[in-house]
Amino acid sequence: MVLGRSEHVNSPVEPVTLKILVAGGFGVGKTTLVGAISEIRPLRTEEQLTEAGRPVDDTSGVEAKKTTTVAMDFGRITLRDDLVLYLFGTPGQERFWFMWDELSEGALGAVVLADTRRLDDCFAAVDYFERRSIPFLVAVNCFEGAARHPSESVRQALDLDAGVPVVLCDARDRESAKGVLVDLVQHAMRYSAERRRPVPS
């Protein structure tokens, strides 16, 4: 059958797919965020924490945590009919950081999840994305019982550039997590546009 002109016009358009990383320290909520927002059953590579790992896995502040991501979390969300995000949650412990280079290949940007009770855990992720010029934002996961701090205080504590967004979120809540991803996509698009802008001679 030969398609007519109108049938060509109405044919579905392949959506743009973008790769997003979800990074941060151990126990900050990366797996929770990917699971809360993914429209497919997320792929998880979690293993039980063991006594052998206690010397290298700092569980202070997250004593109830029993598992850890050893490779990545993977999920997908459709933001619009023409825009699909693939989410890759990175492992938080230092001994798995060798995987970050492979996971970050081709990424549009990254969400750095932060817990204000363990803010130092964010420095490695912030430094990683800054050094590789990968646009990112910091999303403060508002844990129950944790003190709330103004975004500017978090920015100063992490020594972030003025252009890096800092937002508050609840990693368990789908709409909250979706808002973080929308903010990241918008930030990454602005970042890319600025880098393409010609420098005045």
Side-chain angles (χ1 to χ4, degrees):
M1 174 180 144
V2 178
L3 293 177
R5 180 180 179 84
S6 62
E7 290 169 304
H8 278 294
V9 171
N10 294 327
S11 61
V13 177
E14 280 294 314
V16 174
T17 58
L18 301 174
K19 182 179 183 181
I20 300 292
L21 301 184
V22 181
F26 176 61
V28 78
K30 301 181 294 294
T31 298
T32 300
L33 185 143
V34 173
I37 200 168
S38 179
E39 63 197 18
I40 61 173
R41 184 175 180 178
L43 168 67
R44 293 174 174 166
T45 55
E46 290 199 313
E47 295 292 342
Q48 291 288 325
L49 289 172
T50 64
E51 286 299 321
R54 289 198 178 277
V56 291
D57 296 333
D58 180 12
T59 59
S60 56
V62 287
E63 290 83 359
K65 186 171 176 61
K66 302 301 181 186
T67 61
T68 183
T69 299
V70 296
M72 66 175 183
D73 298 311
F74 173 77
R76 183 188 73 199
I77 178 174
T78 302
L79 288 185
R80 302 190 311 247
D81 288 343
D82 60 346
L83 181 58
V84 176
L85 301 184
Y86 290 110
L87 310 176
F88 292 81
T90 64
Q93 292 116 302
E94 185 174 352
R95 66 183 185 275
F96 297 124
W97 285 352
F98 68 91
M99 300 186 60
W100 285 34
D101 286 339
E102 186 170 342
L103 290 175
S104 65
E105 186 70 29
L108 174 75
V111 173
V112 177
L113 270 180
D115 179 352
T116 54
R117 301 168 301 180
R118 296 159 55 103
L119 206 54
D120 287 355
D121 290 355
C122 291
F123 281 114
V126 168
D127 182 65
Y128 182 90
F129 297 123
E130 283 182 342
R131 288 178 180 274
R132 288 158 180 80
S133 298
I134 297 174
F136 69 96
L137 61 70
V138 172
V140 179
N141 194 5
C142 298
F143 286 90
E144 292 180 16
R148 300 290 192 268
H149 299 279
S151 297
E152 195 54 39
S153 297
V154 175
R155 179 186 307 283
Q156 292 175 4
L158 292 175
D159 193 26
L160 299 174
D161 292 339
V164 177
V166 178
V167 299
L168 303 180
C169 75
D170 181 344
R172 303 167 300 180
D173 182 78
R174 178 178 173 82
E175 289 305 311
S176 179
K178 183 177 179 179
V180 170
L181 296 180
V182 170
D183 287 345
L184 174 63
V185 171
Q186 293 173 343
H187 169 59
M189 295 301 187
R190 289 193 301 268
Y191 181 89
S192 178
E194 289 170 1
R195 287 174 64 88
R196 290 196 305 266
R197 189 175 300 156
V199 177
S201 56

